[in-house]
Amino acid sequence: MRDVNRTGILIVIIMGTTMAGIDSSIVNISLPVMSKQFNCTLSEIEWVITVYMLSFSVLMPLTNWLKNRIGFFNLYIGAISLFTFGSLLCALSTTLPSLLVGRVVQALGGGAMAPTSMAIISYVFPARVRGAVLGWWGLGNLVGPAIGPTLGGILTEQFGWPSIFYINLPIGVITVLLSFKYLNVLRSQPKLKLPFDLTGFTTLTVFLVCLQYGVARAEVLGITSPEILVTLGIAVVALLFFILLDRRQQAPIIDLQLFKNYSFVSCILVTISRAAALFGGLFLMPFLLQEQMGYSEGASGLLILPNSVFMAALMPFAGKWSDKHGSREISMLGIMLLAASMYLFAVLDRGSDIWSVILAMTVRGLGMGLLLAPLNAATLSSVRPSEVTMASSVSTLMQQVGGAIGIAVLAIITQTAYNNHVLAGATTMQAHHLALRQGFHISLIILLVTLVPAWFLPRRNIVLKDVDAHIDT
């Protein structure tokens, strides 16, 4: 086979995942501005994030089937094109419902990018360097969400919130053009016409939609309201049907046999809990910086920059470390640093100086830099080569579901705490601050609990033979 430009392939998939990753968090810093323009409550504007994460998670299970049906090349090109079109719809939105529609279209494209990229890495790169490559890829997939608030704050303050979506248009076009140049080699990938698991996809979609909708609406209606109980009940029934019917499918949308893999399940549990804590904490952060501490959108974005810098610096190092020494210890260190950062955020108030904010952001960046690449490497190493695409889809799906639930749960907790403090006689500002503090404390507890499944991560990553890289060296 002709020579493969692996560097070019890595650059292209980093560009795509960076664009999608940025948009998973770039709107956070602009939420207060959007809320005022659309005259929305906190629970309503929360859907700008939640609907993106929900739609993101719905398409992910299809990645393995689409990869077999149309191949990596067509799947990746289609995902980037759809994401770029969705960005245009968001930028042109004049109402909250139209913005939510644009976010759904964005997410349908973005949902395929991360699992497809991880699978392409496994397809192209030898296993012995996979951790290091995932570290560099993580600069796009996971540093993207970190630099999103910084970029979003600057763009929103200077050009208005639609600019955070317009910026995706040139990046998307360039990425598509580069894909035709560097990803052409993937066109030789064999295609399989597997039957589509319509029953599994339908029941899984109903479960995901009802679960996340029920949790999000519980903030407004109360967890014991009939609507919420019925919605969550439908989610449970759909999940049971999915599990029972999955065993009868020739080519299931998600192979539940993966969950018999002890190492894989440990990775998934860590992925879910750290996503719930981190996405939930990220949702609260702009409200702390802007409404409590009085920083502008641009200043808030710049204050998040140390998080991005230290994450970017550590991820390649952490990936190489996991290749040589395994993922367990370095992942646990990262989780402990993230927990410490949540404590530092919780003690911030209007009187805190700028260095206290920078310290909290730095500790958060160090923790994320040490955790994310080793966790991805452990996830891919825990399954057989033929299972990599599905495993990466499940991992990314669980990350998004955990994040969406984390945002909704923390919104419920902070809103309830706010109401209780107001009833107790606190001023509006005091009640808001105490509620945000409680939200960060919950994130801290979730991260400490995450140390339990992290202890069961494989002490050494299983390095497969180079034959699992299907493109010849």
Side-chain angles (χ1 to χ4, degrees):
M1 184 179 291
R2 56 195 172 92
D3 292 338
V4 177
N5 189 332
R6 288 185 169 84
T7 302
I9 291 174
L10 182 58
I11 290 173
V12 170
I13 63 176
I14 285 176
M15 288 181 65
T17 51
T18 297
M19 186 171 62
I22 287 175
D23 258 71
S24 70
S25 66
I26 195 171
V27 300
N28 290 70
I29 207 76
S30 305
L31 288 179
V33 177
M34 293 178 181
S35 181
K36 292 177 182 177
Q37 178 172 330
F38 295 136
N39 193 25
C40 298
T41 64
L42 177 63
S43 60
E44 290 172 332
I45 203 66
E46 167 199 334
W47 280 97
V48 175
I49 299 175
T50 304
V51 76
Y52 181 86
M53 301 179 73
L54 175 60
S55 303
F56 215 77
S57 64
V58 167
L59 191 66
M60 283 180 191
L62 287 177
T63 304
N64 188 66
W65 182 82
L66 288 171
K67 179 266 293 183
N68 287 319
R69 190 81 177 187
I70 64 176
F72 282 134
F73 179 82
N74 294 323
L75 177 57
Y76 194 72
I77 292 286
I80 294 173
S81 301
L82 191 59
F83 183 89
T84 305
F85 177 66
S87 298
L88 178 61
L89 294 180
C90 289
L92 297 175
S93 299
T94 56
T95 63
L96 180 59
S98 62
L99 176 59
L100 295 181
V101 170
R103 292 287 280 172
V104 169
V105 176
Q106 261 194 322
L108 291 177
M113 284 191 200
T116 303
S117 297
M118 290 177 69
I120 290 174
I121 287 174
S122 177
Y123 184 75
V124 172
F125 292 89
R128 64 178 180 271
V129 299
R130 197 169 291 156
V133 173
L134 285 169
W136 288 108
W137 171 71
L139 296 180
N141 188 45
L142 298 164
V143 174
I147 66 174
T150 302
L151 182 61
I154 295 172
L155 290 174
T156 300
E157 188 173 40
Q158 297 297 323
F159 307 105
W161 66 262
S163 63
I164 67 179
F165 299 111
Y166 277 125
I167 195 173
N168 289 331
L169 304 185
I171 299 175
V173 171
I174 293 172
T175 304
V176 169
L177 294 176
L178 289 177
S179 296
F180 277 98
K181 179 177 181 180
Y182 292 113
L183 300 187
N184 262 326
V185 67
L186 298 179
R187 288 183 167 181
S188 62
Q189 175 196 7
K191 297 178 179 62
L192 302 174
K193 291 187 177 181
L194 297 176
F196 179 63
D197 180 11
L198 179 61
T199 303
F201 177 71
T202 302
T203 53
L204 182 60
T205 299
V206 171
F207 164 70
L208 292 170
V209 171
C210 289
L211 173 66
Q212 295 180 84
Y213 175 81
V215 173
R217 287 289 290 169
E219 175 193 353
V220 179
L221 302 177
I223 193 68
T224 58
S225 73
E227 179 182 331
I228 299 305
L229 293 177
V230 170
T231 302
L232 294 179
I234 293 173
V236 172
V237 172
L239 178 61
L240 292 175
F241 269 100
F242 173 75
I243 293 173
L244 293 174
L245 296 176
D246 177 85
R247 301 175 184 274
R248 306 177 186 177
Q249 302 299 320
Q250 177 185 349
I253 202 76
I254 291 180
D255 187 358
L256 296 182
Q257 297 299 314
L258 282 174
F259 293 92
K260 293 182 178 181
N261 184 325
Y262 182 81
S263 298
F264 178 73
V265 170
S266 298
C267 295
I268 293 301
L269 290 175
V270 174
T271 297
I272 294 172
S273 54
R274 65 94 175 163
L278 293 183
F279 279 98
L282 186 60
F283 172 72
L284 300 176
M285 202 176 296
F287 293 95
L288 171 67
L289 295 177
Q290 294 176 44
E291 297 185 1
Q292 283 296 313
M293 305 187 71
Y295 292 106
S296 66
E297 294 89 351
S300 299
L302 289 173
L303 284 172
I304 299 175
L305 191 58
N307 175 90
S308 312
V309 171
F310 283 96
M311 186 195 306
L314 282 182
M315 286 195 73
F317 160 78
K320 289 183 179 179
W321 175 277
S322 68
D323 285 335
K324 294 182 179 180
H325 306 288
S327 297
R328 182 193 298 181
E329 287 78 11
I330 195 169
S331 296
M332 294 184 71
L333 177 59
I335 292 169
M336 288 186 284
L337 288 172
L338 287 169
S341 74
M342 291 301 168
Y343 172 79
L344 294 174
F345 283 120
V347 300
L348 292 176
D349 56 29
R350 184 169 289 273
S352 300
D353 59 36
I354 192 172
W355 294 109
S356 299
V357 180
I358 292 174
L359 175 62
M361 294 293 179
T362 299
V363 174
R364 187 176 190 272
L366 292 171
M368 292 184 71
L370 292 177
L371 171 63
L372 299 178
L375 180 58
N376 283 336
T379 302
L380 294 185
S381 298
S382 66
V383 298
R384 297 191 300 269
S386 60
E387 299 170 329
V388 164
T389 303
M390 186 170 290
S392 62
S393 299
V394 172
S395 177
T396 315
L397 171 65
M398 293 298 102
Q399 175 180 308
Q400 296 304 319
V401 171
I405 293 176
I407 290 174
V409 169
L410 285 186
I412 293 171
I413 290 172
T414 53
Q415 187 64 53
T416 302
Y418 172 82
N419 294 336
N420 291 338
H421 288 305
V422 169
L423 291 174
T427 66
T428 300
M429 186 64 70
Q430 289 173 336
H432 191 228
H433 174 247
L434 293 173
L436 289 173
R437 175 177 290 183
Q438 185 167 337
F440 285 117
H441 281 156
I442 296 298
S443 296
L444 165 63
I445 293 171
I446 293 173
L447 286 164
L448 291 178
V449 172
T450 305
L451 289 171
V452 177
W455 175 255
F456 294 98
L457 291 176
R459 187 175 294 274
R460 292 292 177 92
N461 292 341
I462 301 171
V463 179
L464 303 173
K465 296 181 180 180
D466 287 352
V467 70
D468 68 344
H470 304 298
I471 292 182
D472 299 334
T473 56

